[in-house]
Amino acid sequence: MVRENIMNKEKKQEFTVRITNANRSELVVILYDMILTYIEEGKTFLENGKQEEFHEEIKKAQDCVKELISALDKQYEISSELAKLYLYVNRTFAKIMVKPEEELIASAENVIKGLRESFQQIADQDESPTLMGNAQEIYAGLTYGKNSLNENLSDEGGSRGFLA
């Protein structure tokens, strides 16, 4: 159980840094990555017979899908097609909560993977600025000590936020 929590914390930190440095299309990719992470963690819990934890992960994935639905801009025709796919995944998650079948999990996962791949191509071409303009820049690296490996973080955000 301890290792699962460590990985959770590491993943959250990774997602936080990515979100801080993301533009709009990259945020969509990050949400897809979060959904896929929750599905993977859920499958691990299911394999270990931890139903309650499995349900928690699927609920988190559903929350991400709901966020994607609420962020759709209805003025574009593609939004209605995306909404249909998101609603399908959401219904599939609801079915999984009642009866966690591998086929259902794989179906939802495949839809998200396909959408993620498409949006990654869009994000690769999107040169718009990050949404968090005054975000902290983080530089990280590893150095070797005599008998250890040390992680170094450098915070270049000394003038973040408002000055009074």
Side-chain angles (χ1 to χ4, degrees), residues 11-119:
K11 271 293 189 192
K12 285 179 184 178
Q13 288 174 341
E14 175 191 329
F15 284 130
T16 301
V17 170
R18 287 179 61 195
I19 289 167
T20 302
N21 296 308
N23 59 27
R24 288 185 192 279
S25 54
E26 290 168 339
L27 280 177
V28 175
V29 173
I30 293 168
L31 275 169
Y32 292 140
D33 287 343
M34 291 173 69
I35 292 168
L36 293 171
T37 298
Y38 290 136
I39 291 171
E40 280 303 313
E41 290 177 356
K43 289 193 304 190
T44 301
F45 284 128
L46 188 61
E47 289 169 5
N48 293 324
K50 298 181 178 182
Q51 288 287 333
E52 188 174 321
E53 290 87 347
F54 167 76
H55 287 129
E56 287 177 28
E57 297 302 313
I58 297 302
K59 285 179 189 176
K60 290 175 188 175
Q62 272 185 309
D63 289 342
C64 290
V65 172
K66 289 175 187 174
E67 181 62 33
L68 288 166
I69 292 169
S70 70
L72 287 173
D73 189 344
K74 309 265 190 292
Q75 73 177 346
Y76 298 105
E77 188 176 320
I78 191 139
S79 293
S80 64
E81 298 303 316
L82 286 170
K84 290 175 188 174
L85 290 170
Y86 294 154
L87 290 172
Y88 166 78
V89 171
N90 203 31
R91 281 191 308 272
T92 304
F93 284 149
K95 291 176 185 176
I96 290 169
M97 296 290 275
V98 175
K99 191 173 183 183
E101 296 178 349
E102 285 185 36
E103 299 85 31
L104 290 174
I105 296 169
S107 177
E109 193 172 27
N110 288 335
V111 171
I112 296 300
K113 283 180 180 178
L115 289 168
R116 188 216 177 274
E117 185 177 316
S118 298
F119 270 87

Side-chain angles (χ1 to χ4, degrees), residues 112-150:
I112 296 300
K113 283 180 180 178
L115 289 168
R116 188 216 177 274
E117 185 177 316
S118 298
F119 270 87
Q120 182 62 58
Q121 292 175 5
I122 294 167
D124 290 343
Q125 297 173 13
D126 186 354
E127 295 181 7
S128 62
T130 61
L131 294 174
M132 299 180 110
N134 199 17
Q136 179 178 7
E137 290 185 33
I138 299 172
Y139 300 96
L142 295 174
T143 59
Y144 293 95
K146 187 171 184 172
N147 293 317
S148 65
L149 185 63
N150 303 313

